[in-house]
């Protein structure tokens, strides 16, 4: 169980990005965070793994105070939280394999400049992670040679290297077309359903929210304005969605691929 209690973030310039936000996420949920651009979604996700320091409030994970954790404890906690990003955040000139191995960096003491300096187990693990996202054949290509959908799959493989219990996904499909969006979310859904990983993911499209979320929260100007269960979401109309999300929210239509990637994507 992850409990967010009265979380507030005020940036140095005085921007109040989160204001007294409280909610909890049970293990194994697929929580979707919705809200207009600038509503605080990204700040919220980054507070959970302390990439951003909250100003006030508490994050408690299985009884452990994440907000109070320092150095060694914090490293241990953040290792169990994988993250994937809208723009993939890969080292574009490095190989796919090296990018995936980089997910292990929380575990090795120094940055091994050559792949063969990573322990054998880590390299084996990277091979398996690439298999899981269907990219075995791309392992030795530069990341920049891959399509957007493939790059995001590298992002997922890199996160898997942390053997995470939670995956934070910050608008993971905002740069992708609808078919690829389903492919990527299909991978996250499989990790959620088959391996029990908790997913916390921000999304823009009502159809995607309805298709994948088991729980939804809505932010507006840093405040929590909506919490909904899977049933609530299924009954949500476009109008209600736009009330929370604003006019930029849309339906997305495209074939459901059930998480199968297409060759060449
Ligand atoms: P979202 O992910 O929903 O687009 P963000 O969490 O990125 O929202 O931003 C929430 C608010 O915080 C916005 O007003 C944004 O401009 C502001 N913000 C984000 N990062 C910073 C920062 N480093 N310094 C100051 N303000 C920031």
């Amino acid at each position: 169980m992850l409990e967010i209690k009265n979380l507030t973030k005020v940036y140095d310039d005085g921007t109040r990005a989160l204001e007294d936000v409280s909610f909890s996420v049970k293990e194994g949920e697929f929580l979707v965070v919705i809200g207009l651009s600038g509503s605080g979604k990204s700040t919220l996700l980054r507070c959970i793994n302390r990439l951003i320091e909250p100003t006030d409030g508490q994050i408690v994970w299985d009884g452990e105070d994440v907000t109070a954790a320092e150095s060694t404890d914090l490293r241990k906690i953040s290792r169990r939280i994988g993250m994937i990003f809208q723009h993939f955040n890969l080292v574009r000139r490095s190989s796919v394999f090296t990018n995936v191995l980089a997910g292990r960096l929380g575990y090795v003491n120094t940055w091994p400049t050559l792949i063969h300096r990573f322990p054998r187990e880590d390299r084996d693990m990277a091979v398996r992670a690439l298999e899981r996202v269907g990219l075995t054949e791309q392992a030795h290509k530069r990341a920049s040679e891959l399509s957007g959908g493939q790059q995001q799959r590298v992002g997922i493989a890199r996160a898997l290297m942390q053997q995470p219990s939670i995956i934070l996904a910050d608008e993971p499909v905002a740069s992708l077309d609808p078919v690829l969006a389903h492919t990527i979310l299909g991978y996250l859904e499989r990790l959620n359903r088959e391996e029990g990983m908790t997913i916390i993911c921000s999304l823009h499209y009502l159809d995607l929210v309805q298709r994948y979320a088991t729980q939804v929260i809505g932010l507006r100007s840093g405040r929590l304005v909506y919490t909904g269960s899977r049933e609530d979401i299924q009954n949500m109309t476009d109008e209600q969605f736009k009330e929370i999300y604003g006019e930029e929210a849309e339906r997305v239509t495209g074939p459901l691929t059930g998480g199968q990637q297409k060759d060449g994507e």
Side-chain angles (χ1 to χ4, degrees):
M1 168 92 97
L2 184 70
E3 295 163 277
I4 313 295
K5 299 180 179 178
N6 311 102
L7 196 70
T8 293
K9 173 65 188 180
V10 184
Y11 284 107
D12 290 345
D13 66 358
T15 303
R16 304 190 73 85
L18 293 174
E19 194 82 68
D20 202 21
V21 170
S22 301
F23 62 95
S24 57
V25 194
K26 287 208 264 335
E27 202 180 313
E29 295 278 357
F30 196 127
L31 172 78
V32 172
V33 186
I34 57 176
L36 276 171
S37 197
S39 60
K41 304 179 297 297
S42 186
T43 304
L44 172 64
L45 262 56
R46 285 168 166 74
C47 282
I48 293 173
N49 64 357
R50 298 266 306 270
L51 271 183
I52 289 177
E53 284 298 321
T55 309
D56 216 341
Q58 245 188 340
I59 297 168
V60 180
W61 185 14
D62 291 342
E64 193 166 3
D65 189 344
V66 176
T67 22
E70 284 178 35
S71 57
T72 317
D73 286 341
L74 179 57
R75 267 202 305 280
K76 275 191 205 145
I77 292 170
S78 51
R79 269 180 201 168
R80 293 172 53 215
I81 307 180
M83 187 152 195
I84 65 173
F85 303 86
Q86 177 180 351
H87 299 294
F88 324 129
N89 287 22
L90 304 180
V91 180
R92 291 173 55 78
R93 66 191 149 69
S94 292
S95 73
V96 166
F97 195 70
T98 307
N99 271 282
V100 173
L101 272 173
R104 275 319 265 178
L105 285 180
Y107 292 91
V108 293
N109 291 330
T110 49
W111 166 237
T113 47
L114 297 170
I115 288 176
H116 65 254
R117 296 215 188 127
F118 276 92
R120 163 112 240 145
E121 310 85 77
D122 288 359
R123 284 182 282 142
D124 291 346
M125 192 189 274
V127 169
R128 286 196 301 275
L130 280 169
E131 264 168 27
R132 283 165 84 181
V133 296
L135 287 179
T136 304
E137 299 198 346
Q138 322 294 335
H140 298 293
K141 287 191 178 161
R142 279 180 187 226
S144 58
E145 289 176 57
L146 270 53
S147 67
Q150 288 175 325
Q151 289 192 38
Q152 193 57 294
R153 280 150 59 194
V154 177
I156 295 174
R158 180 181 56 190
L160 289 177
M161 295 296 284
Q162 292 172 244
Q163 299 178 298
S165 304
I166 296 179
I167 290 189
L168 305 173
D170 190 8
E171 310 218 6
V173 300
S175 309
L176 304 174
D177 70 38
V179 175
L180 290 179
H182 282 297
T183 304
I184 295 302
L185 291 170
Y187 280 112
L188 294 182
E189 183 174 58
R190 222 176 296 161
L191 295 171
N192 174 250
R193 289 200 180 157
E194 294 173 10
E195 305 194 26
M197 285 183 202
T198 303
I199 310 286
I200 303 179
C201 174
S202 49
L203 288 179
H204 268 250
Y205 297 107
L206 180 56
D207 298 52
L208 295 179
V209 179
Q210 287 177 325
R211 167 69 182 77
Y212 294 97
T214 61
Q215 187 187 350
V216 176
I217 61 165
L219 293 175
R220 186 157 220 164
S221 306
R223 292 182 182 277
L224 189 76
V225 293
Y226 178 83
T227 55
S229 66
R230 182 161 208 137
E231 291 70 41
D232 298 330
I233 312 154
Q234 300 311 325
N235 297 323
M236 197 186 265
T237 61
D238 273 5
E239 284 62 40
Q240 287 171 315
F241 188 63
K242 284 187 178 174
E243 226 172 86
I244 300 162
Y245 210 141
E247 290 302 316
E248 73 179 66
E250 281 174 34
R251 276 190 181 273
V252 60
T253 46
L256 288 175
T257 60
Q260 303 298 310
Q261 80 277 2
K262 289 194 311 178
D263 276 334
E265 293 303 344

